[in-house]
Amino acid sequence: MSETMIQPLEMHPLPTDYETARDVFSDHPSFDDREGVPHPDVLRSTYMTVLAETHAWRVFRVDLYGFGGWVFVWNHQRGDGFRIPNDEGQFEMLAEALAQTLED
């Protein structure tokens, strides 16, 4: 899949349980100087920057190596979402277009 298009997500980009976090991040360069991988709650509070949030949707960045350049849009009620690259302002252009639909 090209990294220039919106990509659907069936799993949250940050693990929700410790075992998965350990499996995913055990060899991650961001945690080389630590004894172990942080708990998922710590991963989210430390490495997730929330850009916007409603009762159903959260728009955020993940501030870890390998996640850069993406904006994540997650529906926690449904348990799915998508990510969109933002290195050329794709997310801002999409957000602007969506905002215009609310004005009409």
Side-chain angles (χ1 to χ4, degrees), residues 49-75:
T49 301
V50 177
L51 305 173
E53 190 169 18
T54 68
H55 70 282
W57 293 94
R58 179 178 287 162
V59 180
F60 60 94
R61 287 189 321 260
V62 175
D63 303 316
L64 283 169
Y65 177 78
F67 291 87
W70 293 99
V71 174
F72 298 88
V73 181
W74 187 256
N75 184 306

Side-chain angles (χ1 to χ4, degrees), residues 82-103:
F82 63 91
R83 69 182 190 169
I84 181 170
N86 197 38
D87 50 354
E88 295 178 10
Q90 292 100 320
F91 175 73
E92 281 92 354
M93 289 184 281
L94 173 62
E96 184 177 333
L98 292 173
Q100 289 176 12
T101 66
L102 295 175
E103 294 172 1

Side-chain angles (χ1 to χ4, degrees), residues 38-56:
H39 187 275
D41 293 339
V42 174
L43 282 170
R44 289 175 187 222
S45 65
T46 305
Y47 300 104
M48 189 167 73
T49 301
V50 177
L51 305 173
E53 190 169 18
T54 68
H55 70 282

